[in-house]
């Protein structure tokens, strides 16, 4: 009989299925050890936690690879560490990178300040136009980098035209899939070559770890592992263990984030003091049809444009009790932040307005509390009582 391919919840809990030995622990114990015994004269792989081959690091890497439908994965000490090494793995001095203009602030700094120092040129492209990508290509273009869904407007990109372009032109398609997680979108099924996650966000899901991951084929992951040995951003075993625990509930958490965010966005879109609501699950969102087609869930991030500018948003933010004002996202608790103070602090007010989120915009990372409590919290904060 043909074996059924395990579903995403099963994969999130078990990773690749193996027969377990009698009295083996259900959970991978914390191997809080920098190094491991290497028999004299043995040709076994040398185990050392900076090499990314500590058992806690390996356990979560196998689990994430299984979830993404990829050959291999590797966890690193932060999402930024993962983004840096994924790009160093495929780009050399003299190469050119095409990057989406709708990009996480830290990634923009990495591209403009750091890659340029290494002789790698980056051009930012409006990702909504497939033709633009082709127009900006050079002979030296080696890769395309995108994020989807994007921060903070939750725009959803169609990877297939980009994957085709990459295939024809011999380029690599790199996707930051932090907002989606494999529960909502699996970029490899749409032609991506390399996936990046900030595991700080949904993969861990409890706002208590900084981590990142790169997912790809074995060749790319071995190059990233080689870079890790030298550049050194390895994840600590205990942090890896926390992610191990967090990832087991990824399916139920993402289901709750998707449901709560949709209910919250629907409620917000009816509120008279909220000018606009950005959520791909709402019919008026510019990517709603595409999102319905390619995503398994619309995600947990909702953008709210409050009438009355930054003063109004500050007044509302001060009154919230369920939601906390803090950067970051993807945890079980609801967090709100303002792009003008966090992800887009380096842009001017005019630039933020041109990008579609004038000051007074707040990003809500909808948690998995009872959504009625979250709605009541915002209702009270907006009414000023
Ligand atoms: C947070 C984030 C990052 C950076 O991740 P860290 O774990 O904070 O280094 C990269 N990309 C996206 C989309 C993010 O939200």
């Amino acid at each position: 009989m043909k074996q059924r391919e395990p579903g995403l919840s099963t994969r999130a809990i078990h990773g690749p299925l193996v027969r377990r030995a009698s009295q083996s622990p259900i959970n991978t114990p914390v191997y809080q050890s920098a190094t491991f015994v290497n028999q004299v004269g043995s040709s076994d792989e040398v185990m050392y936690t900076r090499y990314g081959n500590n058992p806690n690091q390996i356990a979560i890497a196998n689990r994430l690879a299984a979830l993404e439908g990829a050959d291999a994965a590797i966890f690193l000490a932060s999402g930024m560490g993962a983004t840096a090494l994924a790009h160093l793995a495929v780009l050399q001095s003299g190469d050119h990178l095409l990057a989406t203009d709708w990009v996480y602030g830290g990634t923009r700094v990495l591209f403009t300040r750091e890659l340029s120092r290494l002789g790698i040129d980056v051009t930012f492209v409006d990702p909504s136009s497939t033709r633009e990508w082709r127009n900006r290509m050079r002979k030296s273009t080696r890769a395309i980098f995108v994020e989807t869904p994007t921060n903070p407007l939750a725009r959803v990109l169609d990877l297939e035209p980009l994957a085709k372009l990459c295939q024809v032109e011999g380029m690599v398609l790199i996707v930051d899939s932090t907002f989606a997680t494999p529960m909502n979108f699996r970029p490899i099924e749409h032609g991506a070559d390399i996936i990046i996650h900030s595991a700080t966000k949904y993969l861990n899901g409890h706002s208590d770890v900084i981590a990142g991951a790169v997912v790809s084929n074995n060749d790319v992951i071995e190059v990233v592992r080689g870079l890790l040995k030298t550049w050194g951003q390895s994840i600590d075993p205990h942090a890896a263990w926390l992610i191990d625990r967090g990832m087991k509930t990824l399916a139920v958490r993402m289901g709750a984030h998707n449901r709560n965010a949709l209910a919250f966005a629907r409620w917000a879109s009816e509120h008279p003091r909220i000018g606009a609501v950005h959520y791909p699950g709402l019919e008026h969102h510019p990517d709603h049809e595409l999102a319905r087609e390619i995503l398994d869930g619309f995600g947990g991030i909702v953008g709210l444009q409050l009438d009355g500018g930054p003063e109004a948003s500050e007044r509302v933010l001060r009154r919230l009790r369920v939601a906390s004002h803090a950067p970051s996202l993807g945890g079980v608790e609801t967090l709100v932040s303002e792009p003008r103070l966090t992800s887009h602090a380096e842009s001017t007010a005019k630039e933020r307005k041109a990008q579609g989120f004038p000051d007074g915009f707040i990003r809500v990372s909808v948690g998995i509390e009872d959504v009625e409590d979250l709605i009541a919290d915002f209702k009270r904060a907006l009414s000023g009582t």
Side-chain angles (χ1 to χ4, degrees):
M1 203 173 82
K2 195 168 174 291
Q3 282 270 295
R4 177 189 131 81
E5 187 67 19
L8 290 171
S9 297
T10 308
R11 280 188 251 173
I13 294 164
H14 297 290
L17 297 178
V18 290
R19 199 177 137 72
R20 288 163 192 276
S22 175
Q23 301 195 323
S24 60
I26 289 298
N27 294 301
T28 308
V30 188
Y31 287 79
Q32 197 70 43
S33 190
T35 190
F36 295 81
V37 173
N38 185 231
Q39 278 306 331
V40 178
S42 152
S43 57
D44 287 350
E45 178 187 8
V46 173
M47 281 172 67
Y48 185 57
T49 292
R50 176 164 43 79
Y51 295 179
N53 57 9
N54 175 302
N56 296 112
Q57 298 165 333
I58 298 287
I60 53 176
N62 290 344
R63 203 109 57 76
L64 182 59
L67 283 170
E68 291 284 14
D71 295 341
I74 186 163
F75 273 79
L76 300 138
S78 68
M80 285 308 303
T83 307
L85 293 197
H87 286 84
L88 290 178
V90 295
L91 298 169
Q92 312 278 338
S93 176
D95 287 349
H96 177 235
L97 170 71
L98 286 176
T100 174
D101 203 27
W102 302 344
V103 61
Y104 177 74
T107 305
R108 186 183 290 277
V109 175
L110 172 76
F111 289 170
T112 50
R113 223 176 280 166
E114 299 301 320
L115 292 190
S116 63
R117 279 192 326 129
L118 302 175
I120 298 163
D121 255 4
V122 183
T123 304
F124 291 96
V125 176
D126 171 354
S128 58
S129 156
T130 307
R131 195 174 328 135
E132 267 301 287
W133 293 103
R134 186 181 291 281
N135 290 347
R136 299 300 192 93
M137 265 181 56
R138 303 181 192 164
K139 274 208 172 66
S140 56
T141 311
R142 293 285 169 268
I144 287 181
F145 168 84
V146 294
E147 284 177 26
T148 182
T150 69
N151 182 29
L153 295 176
R155 294 296 303 267
V156 179
L157 303 184
D158 187 4
L159 295 185
E160 280 176 19
L162 295 179
K164 250 182 228 145
L165 182 64
C166 285
Q167 204 175 18
V168 172
E169 303 291 342
M171 300 187 294
V172 177
L173 180 57
I174 308 171
V175 179
D176 182 331
S177 193
T178 297
F179 276 37
T181 82
M183 296 302 161
N184 285 348
F185 186 64
R186 290 162 302 284
I188 285 180
E189 294 173 5
H190 300 266
D193 301 294
I194 301 178
I195 304 167
I196 295 165
H197 284 284
S198 167
T200 309
K201 314 295 168 56
Y202 291 107
L203 290 186
N204 177 57
H206 293 73
S207 306
D208 51 10
V209 165
I210 296 287
V214 182
V215 185
S216 189
N217 59 42
N218 286 316
D219 292 347
V220 168
I221 295 305
E222 278 320 300
V223 176
V224 173
R225 192 181 304 284
L227 290 166
L228 169 65
K229 287 183 177 179
T230 309
W231 291 72
Q233 49 280 67
S234 56
I235 183 172
D236 180 78
H238 187 250
W241 185 87
L242 285 169
I243 293 170
D244 194 315
R245 163 176 265 209
M247 262 172 50
K248 289 182 185 184
T249 55
L250 185 62
V252 285
R253 283 189 289 107
M254 289 314 293
H257 286 297
N258 291 337
R259 276 192 308 279
N260 277 3
L262 184 59
F264 179 75
R266 285 201 174 128
W267 168 80
S269 61
E270 302 283 314
H271 197 285
R273 303 234 355 240
I274 301 175
V277 181
H278 301 268
Y279 187 67
L282 296 178
E283 289 71 16
H284 70 258
H285 186 278
D287 306 316
H288 178 63
E289 283 308 315
L290 174 68
R292 269 176 47 145
E293 197 183 309
I294 66 175
L295 302 184
D296 295 331
F298 299 116
I301 306 297
V302 179
L304 303 180
Q305 189 68 52
L306 300 186
D307 295 335
E311 299 76 20
S313 65
E314 256 182 44
R315 271 198 307 276
V316 171
L317 293 173
R318 275 184 214 287
R319 291 184 191 125
L320 293 169
R321 293 295 175 267
V322 177
S324 302
H325 186 235
S328 199
L329 58 104
V332 293
E333 61 287 301
T334 298
L335 300 182
V336 288
S337 65
E338 294 178 274
R340 71 186 176 103
L341 303 178
T342 53
S343 58
H344 294 76
E346 304 213 359
S347 312
T348 63
K350 211 170 140 197
E351 284 166 338
R352 288 188 291 268
K353 188 170 178 196
Q355 287 177 287
F357 41 94
D359 294 351
F361 183 101
I362 64 175
R363 183 190 72 192
V364 185
S365 170
V366 177
I368 63 170
E369 300 96 339
D370 295 293
V371 73
E372 297 78 11
D373 293 328
L374 189 61
I375 288 172
D377 198 33
F378 274 79
K379 198 185 260 179
R380 198 181 40 79
L382 282 157
S383 72
T385 56

